[in-house]
Amino acid sequence: MTAVTDQDPTEHADQPDDDARTAAGTAGRPAPDGERAARTDSAETWDDGLIARRVNETAEGGRFPVTDSRSAVPPTVTPLVYEKPLRSRLEALRQLVGLSRTRLDSRTLSQAGRVLDEASARRRLSGQHTVVAIAGATGSGKSQLFNALAGVTISETGVRRPTTAAPIACSWSDGAAGLIERLGIPPRLRRRPLPSGDGESPLRGLVLIDLPDHDSAAVQHRQHVDRILGLVDAVIWVVDPEKYADAVLHERYLRPMAAHAEVMFVVLNQIDRLPGEAAEQVLDDLRRLLDEDGIALGEYGEPGTTVLALSALTGDGVGELREALGQFVSERGAPNRRISADVDIAAARLWPVYATQRRTGLSEQAREEFSDRLADAVGATAAGEAAERAWLRNANRACGTPWLRLWRWYQDRGEPTTGRLPGRTQADEEATARQRVEQAVRTVADRASAGLPAPWAQAVREAAVRGSQGLPEALDELTARAGVPTGRPPRPGWWPVAVLIQASMTILQFLGGLWLLGQIIGVVSPNLGVPVLLMVIGIVGGPLIEWSCRMAARGPARRYGLEAERRLREAASGCGRARVLDPVAAELLRYREVREQYARVVGTGR
């Protein structure tokens, strides 16, 4: 029951004189000049549009004089109060629209916005009245039914098509002016029914609207129908035995209005034209078509659309409709059910942009893999291995034999000795690192957006792309700050002892050599055993101590390398988290919030 076009409420003021006479309820026969003048004078007093008609026993031709009701005291209007579940759903829909404005286009949210606007406008108006529109195709007899319910000829009937050119309102009680004004019906097209002779009317609180034909050749008539159907509380669809299966009726109106089944009546009119059991057969076929349209039928006490058969011409079945309509109006639940159905339809149309059939978000595995990819991009593993080699190299220098240290110094004098990683200054290395970072960002964005509706998946990817801008440069800066520390690696406590023992081995070699030299030149008495033993101990002990120190240094060197790798990984992970993961997580959090609000809108979060 969504309005198709919006019309200016003042547009009816320009209706032709023939339409004005039609809406005023003329019987279609010429009136004497005096009577026409009297009726014109009376029409000038119809300022409030609430015209009370009563039977004049001496009148002829079904004409009734007009009783002016301008002197009546304006009634106190009690605003509509929505039920608590509906209020909760409307508030959730309002928050849902607010949270989604920056992520969804206005066209997607337009229907939800209209539902909120119409719900707010209806809430400010009378809650003691129910606005029911009578809609139907050309020749279905809806104006006859309108007159039969009112008990007086208000809407003109006849063979000229279309007969009803503008909506006509009939109110069974005071206080409905705001509701009628909301429909854009001018005062000259507002009527009162025939007063009930047995006290208060069972239809008290009813505002009945006779609509133009929904299949009228005049575009303006169809626009009136579409606009008012989006504003009324309930609809009585009048069909006839010839057009009850019309595709336009079912495809354009009934099928889209399936969610409004509880605020619809479908009336098969003109059953007086059907012989025997044909009326029941047509009624059964009508029920079948409504069921195919997805409209729940209110049978056996179940909520749904009321389907009746009647003849507005003979009055057969009109009493049953009046009774059902009276009970429907007395419950005063139609506005709540109508707005609730509107919310259902808006929620159903928003389903593709909020609902997902799978679990969404960033898993711990995806986060860890993203951190690992960034660590590879900055060379964290290579940095740890370099730090480990630097530690071992320093241990070898400190604990190695002087001869090996001298040889290594000669070989390494042109190489850096601090263990610092060479800067990634080459173009190919920088390009490779940038590609790795971009690949890491794309991968984490794809995993985070997997399963999300298209608008939210796009928002997640855009957040990841924005965060990735400048990320390679930031990682380079962090690598320089958090990589392997400058200077020599720290030395363990046993290094001085190893150095002292290694120095002792060198001293033994010198002592043995000098002793042998002294024996050769004759300064010392000959004795080869001791000096040779000293030299052998020094020569063998030096490499043995160096090998032992190398074995002992592997554990500390490994820990030192792992610590350097950990620092670089944490630095890269922190930079990636701040620039990419946190914005992505914020988008996912917003999506979870709107999902919670959407669940409240559809009723699963109540």
Side-chain angles (χ1 to χ4, degrees):
M1 296 167 67
T2 303
V4 176
T5 57
D6 294 328
Q7 301 292 329
D8 188 345
T10 62
E11 68 182 345
H12 305 283
D14 297 328
Q15 292 289 339
D17 292 339
D18 182 57
D19 291 343
R21 286 193 300 271
T22 297
T26 58
R29 61 177 178 82
D33 293 341
E35 182 179 348
R36 185 182 300 110
R39 186 164 63 251
T40 302
D41 293 339
S42 299
E44 295 177 356
T45 65
W46 296 357
D47 294 339
D48 60 357
L50 297 177
I51 307 304
R53 294 176 176 268
R54 60 186 180 185
V55 178
N56 187 340
E57 297 179 355
T58 60
E60 297 180 357
R63 294 187 179 276
F64 308 104
V66 174
T67 301
D68 188 6
S69 60
R70 289 183 302 166
S71 59
V73 178
T76 302
V77 177
T78 303
L80 175 64
V81 178
Y82 291 133
E83 298 173 353
K84 185 176 180 179
L86 179 57
R87 292 201 305 268
S88 177
R89 296 181 68 193
L90 290 172
E91 179 60 26
L93 183 61
R94 185 173 293 105
Q95 294 184 19
L96 182 68
V97 172
L99 289 170
S100 305
R101 289 193 185 278
T102 58
R103 299 297 180 269
L104 303 178
D105 58 88
S106 57
R107 182 177 180 181
T108 302
L109 299 173
S110 60
Q111 184 176 12
R114 285 196 298 269
V115 170
L116 291 172
D117 293 341
E118 297 302 337
S120 178
R122 182 64 180 91
R123 181 178 56 83
R124 292 191 294 267
L125 300 175
S126 174
Q128 309 299 315
H129 292 79
T130 302
V131 183
V132 181
I134 297 184
T138 303
S140 61
K142 55 184 178 56
S143 295
Q144 276 187 336
L145 180 60
F146 183 83
N147 295 334
L149 291 173
V152 63
T153 302
I154 295 178
S155 184
E156 181 182 359
T157 62
V159 295
R160 181 174 62 89
R161 298 289 182 261
T163 305
T164 305
I168 300 175
C170 180
S171 175
W172 266 254
S173 58
D174 296 337
L179 289 169
I180 300 176
E181 289 173 2
R182 178 170 174 250
L183 303 180
I185 300 177
R188 62 186 178 83
L189 298 179
R190 305 176 190 177
R191 304 290 182 264
R192 275 293 183 85
L194 184 68
S196 176
D198 54 353
E200 185 174 302
S201 171
L203 298 181
R204 178 175 177 80
L206 173 65
V207 179
L208 199 61
I209 311 297
D210 185 20
L211 296 179
D213 303 330
H214 68 75
D215 60 348
S216 172
V219 176
Q220 187 179 19
H221 295 179
R222 298 197 301 270
Q223 291 175 346
H224 282 318
V225 173
D226 294 338
R227 177 179 60 83
I228 293 181
L229 284 179
L231 301 175
V232 296
D233 300 326
V235 180
I236 300 175
W237 287 101
V238 181
V239 298
D240 59 74
E242 295 178 357
K243 295 184 179 180
Y244 73 92
D246 182 47
V248 174
L249 170 66
H250 288 269
E251 293 178 5
R252 182 174 180 180
Y253 293 103
L254 294 180
R255 195 167 299 163
M257 292 170 57
H260 296 87
E262 295 186 36
V263 291
M264 285 200 304
F265 294 78
V266 178
V267 174
L268 175 62
N269 192 18
Q270 302 176 7
I271 60 173
D272 56 292
R273 297 169 50 192
L274 298 174
E277 298 180 354
E280 287 297 329
Q281 296 175 357
V282 173
L283 196 62
D284 289 341
D285 193 46
L286 175 60
R287 291 192 180 97
R288 178 186 61 81
L289 293 175
L290 294 176
D291 183 67
E292 291 179 357
D293 291 334
I295 298 176
L297 302 182
E299 299 176 338
Y300 310 108
E302 296 293 329
T305 297
T306 300
V307 182
L308 298 173
L310 53 81
S311 172
L313 180 64
T314 64
D316 185 19
V318 175
E320 183 180 356
L321 173 62
R322 183 180 289 108
E323 181 180 354
L325 196 59
Q327 182 179 357
F328 179 80
V329 172
S330 65
E331 293 174 355
R332 297 177 182 174
N336 278 270
R337 292 196 290 269
R338 162 63 200 269
I339 296 298
S340 181
D342 287 344
V343 174
D344 289 339
I345 293 177
R349 294 191 178 181
L350 291 176
W351 172 267
V353 298
Y354 291 116
T356 178
Q357 299 296 334
R358 55 175 293 182
R359 185 176 181 180
T360 59
L362 274 177
S363 64
E364 287 299 323
Q365 181 181 359
R367 293 173 180 270
E368 292 176 359
E369 290 182 2
F370 177 68
S371 298
D372 290 341
R373 289 175 182 270
L374 292 185
D376 291 340
V378 299
T381 302
E385 294 175 352
E388 181 179 354
R389 289 194 301 269
W391 207 98
L392 289 173
R393 187 164 53 247
N394 289 332
N396 292 336
R397 287 195 180 100
C399 303
T401 63
W403 324 116
L404 290 176
R405 291 173 63 186
L406 182 61
W407 174 251
R408 287 167 182 161
W409 173 82
Y410 176 75
Q411 287 184 328
D412 299 340
R413 63 180 180 175
E415 300 178 3
T417 59
T418 60
R420 185 184 307 170
L421 283 177
R424 292 186 297 155
T425 58
Q426 298 182 4
D428 55 345
E429 293 180 355
E430 292 181 356
T432 301
R434 182 177 294 274
Q435 290 173 359
R436 289 179 177 177
V437 172
E438 292 175 352
Q439 179 64 29
V441 172
R442 283 196 299 269
T443 301
V444 75
D446 290 341
R447 292 194 176 186
S449 60
L452 290 176
W456 300 99
Q458 181 66 22
V460 168
R461 288 192 290 266
E462 290 177 354
V465 171
R466 287 194 302 268
S468 67
Q469 296 176 358
L471 181 59
E473 292 76 8
L475 291 175
D476 285 339
E477 183 179 353
L478 283 175
T479 301
R481 292 202 312 264
V484 179
T486 59
R488 294 182 180 275
R491 297 181 178 182
W494 52 265
W495 274 23
V497 177
V499 172
L500 180 61
I501 296 175
Q502 190 66 268
S504 300
M505 295 299 103
T506 304
I507 293 174
L508 289 177
Q509 293 180 44
F510 273 103
L511 288 176
L514 291 176
W515 198 334
L516 288 177
L517 182 62
Q519 291 183 17
I520 292 174
I521 64 178
V523 177
V524 181
S525 59
N527 185 3
L528 294 178
V530 176
V532 171
L533 180 60
L534 291 177
M535 289 186 67
V536 170
I537 293 175
I539 293 172
V540 175
L544 184 61
I545 292 174
E546 182 180 2
W547 178 82
S548 301
C549 290
R550 184 180 299 174
M551 293 297 102
R554 284 187 175 181
R558 181 60 179 163
R559 289 191 294 271
Y560 181 73
L562 291 177
E563 179 64 20
E565 180 180 354
R566 183 191 63 79
R567 287 197 303 269
L568 196 53
R569 282 182 176 274
E570 289 183 353
S573 177
C575 183
R577 181 173 58 253
R579 288 176 172 265
V580 177
L581 294 184
D582 286 350
V584 168
E587 289 296 334
L588 293 175
L589 179 61
R590 179 184 289 269
Y591 173 70
R592 282 195 292 270
E593 291 177 355
V594 299
R595 275 298 306 273
E596 292 175 358
Q597 297 301 330
Y598 182 76
R600 291 178 56 198
V601 171
V602 299
T604 58
R606 288 179 290 178

